[in-house]
Amino acid sequence: MREVLVDIERWRRQGKRVALARLVDLEGSGPRLPGAAMAISDDGEVAGSVSGGCVEGAVVAEALDVLAGDGPGRLVTFGYSDDEAFAVGLTCGGTMHLFVERLDW
Amino acid sequence: MTGTGAVFDDLATALRAERPVALATVVAGAGVGGALLVEPGRDGRGTLGDPDLDRVVGRDAEAELQAGTSGVRHYGPRGEARRDDVSVFIESFAPPPRMVIFGAVDFTAALVRLAKVLGYRVTVCDAREVFATKARFPFADEVVVDWPNRLLERIGHELGPRDAVCVLTHDHKFDVPAVVAAMRTKVGYLGAMGSRRTHAERLDRLRREGVGDDDLARLMAPIGLDIGARTPEETAVAVCAEIIALRTGRPAPSLREGEGPIHR
């Protein structure tokens, strides 16, 4: 998370709205530990990452959805996708739980 | 309600000051998105939605911080144990580990750069003021002109299992007092540079200084993994990889366990 705080502050100064996605729990194998974070601005700028690049695209979509709605945040789970070759999933076989939230000032 | 953004501002402030801090966030159950910032010895900021829950989570967050771990914990609505109504993600931010490097040589410059990439707070120390300059080590957090033992008398009590002391002087005049002083600390990694011949003589000198076998067993020397490193930068990789392997307890070939010339 440390590494995205600078970007969050900059976006805030620029008047952008900001969503934060954090890896909170991991089952099985996974490239990153809890606390790995990605920040997303409402115009689609991205800082940080939460996996080895497997789910980042889907996380941006979730984050923009959270920014568009009025809920405070939601848990999102990504697991191994063996049914559809192009579905979003982790090839390492792990399952990751992300918390995606909107930051309000 | 104060937005969670304000809590993140406070988090950024604490991290810039390198204070230990933990952030608790409700990720499931009542009050999703509620955030509480926990700093040992200070009042918490923000709330998870219930004062009792804040108190219990604050205590657990201090424990996570102590252990340097992050994870999800489950509680009742008022912080009751063995219930699963509210899930709270506690992320702890320990201050950066420290690396103290003795000897202001080319290997030091490379090691400083790599240690910064790995997140260390780096101190370079050498008794020779011509060499120990900020201009030569621009990435170091501090450059100290002093004798190694005198620096460690001042800051040695701050060093712990996550920290590292690297002695790169390979001059007995400096490195024997540095190693002796480092052994009086709780530092997790202690390595010293030098050929096997240099190290054999250093061991004799250390024993004459009264250092026992238990303490000598802490000393990783010749410093680094045996990966055939030649340049200062490659040597820095060998040193940092050894620090990681020692911390995780994984098998990796240290130069210390081998025989024959280091460079072949």
Side-chain angles (χ1 to χ4, degrees):
Chain A
M1 156 108 90
R2 241 177 244 276
E3 66 281 5
V4 301
L5 289 172
V6 173
D7 295 283
I8 290 175
E9 287 181 338
R10 179 168 51 84
W11 292 336
R12 185 195 168 196
R13 278 199 306 275
Q14 294 169 350
K16 296 178 182 178
R17 288 180 307 133
V18 181
L20 179 68
R22 283 183 286 165
L23 177 59
V24 299
D25 204 5
L26 183 69
E27 296 157 43
S29 167
R32 302 290 302 271
L33 292 170
M38 224 173 121
I40 299 97
S41 70
D42 57 357
D43 58 350
E45 268 196 82
V46 176
S49 76
V50 290
S51 75
C54 315
V55 303
E56 273 72 5
V59 173
V60 171
E62 288 285 347
L64 293 175
D65 197 47
V66 164
L67 283 176
D70 25 289
R74 63 177 78 138
L75 270 178
V76 184
T77 296
F78 293 102
Y80 182 60
S81 66
D82 54 356
D83 44 353
E84 295 169 63
F86 295 102
V88 173
L90 297 167
T91 52
C92 51
T95 300
M96 51 195 284
H97 303 280
L98 301 174
F99 184 65
V100 186
E101 65 189 311
R102 191 180 56 230
L103 300 184
D104 291 315
W105 279 273
Chain B
M1 170 185 151
T2 313
T4 48
V7 171
F8 280 82
D9 291 345
D10 288 341
L11 172 66
T13 303
L15 291 178
R16 265 194 294 272
E18 296 187 351
R19 296 198 301 260
V21 62
L23 176 65
T25 309
V26 178
V27 297
V32 166
L36 174 71
L37 194 71
V38 179
E39 276 192 76
R42 288 171 184 248
D43 289 337
R45 267 144 298 158
T47 178
L48 304 176
D50 178 88
D52 289 327
L53 181 62
D54 286 348
R55 188 175 44 77
V56 174
V57 170
R59 193 191 59 205
D60 288 349
E62 292 206 17
E64 295 266 9
L65 193 51
Q66 198 76 41
T69 51
S70 298
V72 175
R73 289 174 178 240
H74 306 281
Y75 305 91
R78 294 186 166 172
E80 298 92 329
R82 290 180 296 281
R83 289 184 56 177
D84 196 6
D85 306 277
V86 182
S87 302
V88 178
F89 176 54
I90 300 174
E91 182 171 3
S92 55
F93 302 85
R98 291 188 68 163
M99 183 184 288
V100 180
I101 308 173
F102 293 115
V105 297
D106 282 351
F107 288 97
T108 309
L111 186 53
V112 171
R113 286 199 299 276
L114 190 55
K116 288 310 294 177
V117 170
L118 294 174
Y120 283 91
R121 176 176 171 74
V122 183
T123 301
V124 174
C125 173
D126 195 304
R128 304 164 298 176
E129 59 187 306
V130 203
F131 296 113
T133 64
K134 188 76 184 159
R136 293 191 60 198
F137 306 102
F139 298 106
D141 295 283
E142 53 178 355
V143 179
V144 178
V145 181
D146 206 343
W147 283 77
N149 48 317
R150 292 201 351 197
L151 176 70
L152 286 178
E153 277 160 24
R154 286 202 303 277
I155 66 159
H157 66 279
E158 298 167 7
L159 299 177
R162 301 160 65 231
D163 303 319
V165 169
C166 300
V167 182
L168 308 187
T169 44
H170 47 58
D171 177 339
H172 300 308
K173 187 161 74 260
F174 297 107
D175 67 8
V176 168
V179 169
V180 170
M183 280 173 176
R184 296 198 188 105
T185 73
K186 294 195 171 75
V187 76
Y189 177 89
L190 170 58
M193 184 172 267
S195 68
R196 294 194 192 281
R197 185 187 304 170
T198 305
H199 184 55
E201 194 186 332
R202 179 162 53 210
L203 281 178
D204 286 344
R205 287 169 183 259
L206 287 168
R207 287 202 177 92
R208 285 204 295 275
E209 293 283 326
V211 178
D213 286 343
D214 285 354
D215 279 336
L216 289 177
R218 286 173 69 189
L219 181 60
M220 302 307 290
I223 196 170
L225 293 186
D226 187 3
I227 56 174
R230 292 306 299 245
T231 63
E233 290 74 19
E234 288 179 355
T235 303
V237 171
V239 171
C240 290
E242 185 172 67
I243 293 173
I244 296 167
L246 202 68
R247 188 193 72 215
T248 58
R250 297 298 180 95
S254 279
L255 279 169
R256 182 174 85 161
E257 316 306 335
E259 289 173 1
I262 293 171
H263 304 296
R264 50 177 189 262

